[in-house]
Amino acid sequence: MKLFHSPASPYVRLVMATAFETGQAGDIERLPSAAGPVKRDATIVARNPSGKVPTALLEDGSALYDSRVICEYLDSRHGGRRLFPAEGPARWRALTLLSLAQALLDAALLARYEVALRPADKRWDDWLTGQMAKIDSSVAELEAHWIDHLSGELDIGALATACALGYLDFRFADHDWRAGAPKLAAWYRKTESRPCLVETRPAG
Amino acid sequence: MKLFHSPASPYVRLVMATAFETGQAGDIERLPSAAGPVKRDATIVARNPSGKVPTALLEDGSALYDSRVICEYLDSRHGGRRLFPAEGPARWRALTLLSLAQALLDAALLARYEVALRPADKRWDDWLTGQMAKIDSSVAELEAHWIDHLSGELDIGALATACALGYLDFRFADHDWRAGAPKLAAWYRKTESRPCLVETRPAG
């Protein structure tokens, strides 16, 4: 599989962490990218019209996206324990946690675009406040209701949660998410040393 | 199932269209919502920290989100033909098309927030141009590469595509997506009369 890659994208990280966790990282050829919401990467757009990473290209020439789909595809192609539970309540819980982590990341990326990409005189405080509130609500929800789930065997929801918290440390180091979430912080401290997460630490 | 609902949300529409298509619309109790990216709905946030619709509440009290997860859940609970192919290339194609349609919608919603929600002096033309380019690239990709797939039996990717095009008609009526996409326009003309789409036409 070829993969349009960026070392700073938390969605690419989730795909690569899935590949490492399932023993398939060596099968992935990383393609460079220059994806952004304003300056688009025409090479990616030709295969995925959103122009976003991650976008995968399969052996048969077809394109596969987005991150959730690539992760589930990788998870269908290895012999170990599955990160996507096949069915029943375990599946819906794991997928809901994956959605929670990705909504946290969507908010974090919109907050970052607002302060790091948009010209200073075009920034809107209410928008930024709304996105940061989503981050804070998500951390509070993880602390209040998901610690038992996270403490079980790693699934795609827990892996996405780790990537989301790693992104907060990477881009929002001044926003101390740990202050009100000691159990989540303890879980993350243990989890971030997992090889699939060490191998995919963000850079850029 | 209870569902935080909004008659204008294309993501809610996808869930409700799935419910109608699979004969489960009568099992869904619609809860009112006032979800927005700046003014958040505390009642939703208490169950889904993103504060977004759709959010479902199951009989056992657990919350289920986001739209993809609710749709797949509904699809696992009926006896008819599945909208989510179980496995293999059909599954990856359907899920990639679902991602394409949702990325189109994500761009359309960001474009709408930019012009309908953000104060006029805070709008950034480059951002709006980037989002509109995603919409246009997505329509071009559908026209060039997905007509055969769309013309087959309805799957979740095709249903999401119809909801996405319906949203363009609803909120971007002046943006003539049909001009460069006659085959897609012909497919949509046939598909929008399907009962599950007639029952869920956007309003608001």
Side-chain angles (χ1 to χ4, degrees):
Chain A
M1 178 197 284
K2 296 178 182 177
L3 185 75
F4 287 106
H5 189 275
S6 158
S9 162
Y11 299 105
V12 170
R13 187 186 190 191
L14 180 58
V15 167
M16 290 305 301
T18 297
F20 275 104
E21 186 69 23
T22 62
Q24 298 174 86
D27 304 335
I28 295 181
E29 178 188 345
R30 301 176 200 199
L31 304 177
S33 75
V38 171
K39 287 189 69 175
R40 307 173 75 219
D41 183 326
T43 309
I44 301 175
V45 171
R47 304 310 309 275
N48 172 357
S50 77
K52 290 181 182 172
V53 289
T55 294
L57 305 178
L58 303 185
E59 315 297 324
D60 69 1
S62 63
L64 191 71
Y65 46 86
D66 53 17
S67 59
R68 287 193 205 186
V69 182
I70 305 171
C71 288
E72 190 179 334
Y73 174 83
L74 288 171
D75 198 47
S76 75
R77 293 167 66 88
H78 70 102
R81 195 179 57 79
R82 293 295 159 99
L83 294 172
F84 287 74
E87 59 188 0
R91 182 170 181 87
W92 312 123
R93 288 285 286 174
L95 293 183
T96 295
L97 181 56
L98 172 60
S99 294
L100 189 165
Q102 293 204 320
L104 191 168
L105 279 174
D106 287 345
L109 283 161
L110 287 175
R112 181 165 164 79
Y113 294 147
E114 189 74 17
V115 300
L117 193 65
R118 187 177 286 263
D121 63 326
K122 304 290 190 192
R123 292 173 196 159
W124 183 27
D125 285 347
D126 290 355
W127 178 261
L128 182 61
T129 301
Q131 302 305 330
M132 296 307 292
K134 289 186 188 186
I135 295 174
D136 294 343
S137 299
S138 298
V139 168
E141 167 75 9
L142 289 166
E143 178 77 5
H145 296 301
W146 289 91
I147 299 299
D148 281 354
H149 181 106
L150 290 168
S151 303
E153 288 213 273
L154 189 82
D155 65 16
I156 193 66
L159 197 56
T161 299
C163 291
L165 297 174
Y167 188 75
L168 293 183
D169 284 350
F170 178 52
R171 293 297 197 199
F172 295 83
D174 294 341
H175 192 76
D176 183 12
W177 63 265
R178 289 172 179 81
K183 292 180 284 186
L184 185 64
W187 172 79
Y188 183 64
R189 193 159 53 243
K190 280 188 304 190
T191 306
E192 67 174 337
S193 63
R194 202 169 178 109
C196 72
L197 291 168
V198 172
E199 293 282 355
T200 57
R201 280 199 182 120
Chain B
M1 178 197 285
K2 296 177 182 178
L3 185 76
F4 287 106
H5 187 274
S6 157
S9 162
Y11 299 105
V12 170
R13 187 187 192 189
L14 180 58
V15 167
M16 290 305 302
T18 297
F20 276 103
E21 186 68 23
T22 63
Q24 299 173 87
D27 303 335
I28 295 181
E29 179 188 344
R30 302 176 199 197
L31 304 178
S33 77
V38 170
K39 287 188 69 174
R40 307 174 76 221
D41 183 327
T43 308
I44 302 176
V45 171
R47 306 308 311 273
N48 172 357
S50 78
K52 290 180 182 173
V53 288
T55 294
L57 305 179
L58 303 186
E59 315 298 324
D60 69 1
S62 63
L64 190 72
Y65 45 88
D66 52 14
S67 59
R68 287 193 206 186
V69 181
I70 304 171
C71 288
E72 191 178 332
Y73 173 82
L74 288 172
D75 198 46
S76 75
R77 294 167 65 88
H78 69 103
R81 197 179 56 78
R82 293 295 158 100
L83 294 172
F84 286 75
E87 58 188 1
R91 182 170 180 87
W92 312 123
R93 288 286 285 174
L95 293 183
T96 294
L97 181 57
L98 171 60
S99 295
L100 189 165
Q102 293 204 318
L104 190 168
L105 279 174
D106 287 344
L109 282 161
L110 287 174
R112 180 165 165 80
Y113 294 147
E114 190 72 17
V115 300
L117 194 64
R118 187 177 285 263
D121 63 327
K122 304 291 188 191
R123 293 176 195 158
W124 183 27
D125 285 346
D126 290 356
W127 179 261
L128 183 60
T129 301
Q131 303 306 331
M132 296 307 292
K134 289 187 189 186
I135 294 173
D136 294 343
S137 299
S138 298
V139 169
E141 167 74 8
L142 290 166
E143 177 77 4
H145 296 301
W146 290 91
I147 299 299
D148 280 355
H149 181 104
L150 289 169
S151 303
E153 289 212 273
L154 189 82
D155 65 16
I156 192 66
L159 197 56
T161 299
C163 291
L165 297 174
Y167 188 74
L168 293 183
D169 284 349
F170 177 52
R171 292 297 198 200
F172 296 83
D174 293 342
H175 192 75
D176 182 12
W177 63 265
R178 290 172 178 81
K183 289 179 286 186
L184 186 63
W187 172 79
Y188 182 64
R189 194 162 50 242
K190 278 188 305 189
T191 306
E192 67 175 335
S193 63
R194 202 169 179 110
C196 71
L197 291 168
V198 171
E199 293 282 355
T200 58
R201 279 198 184 123

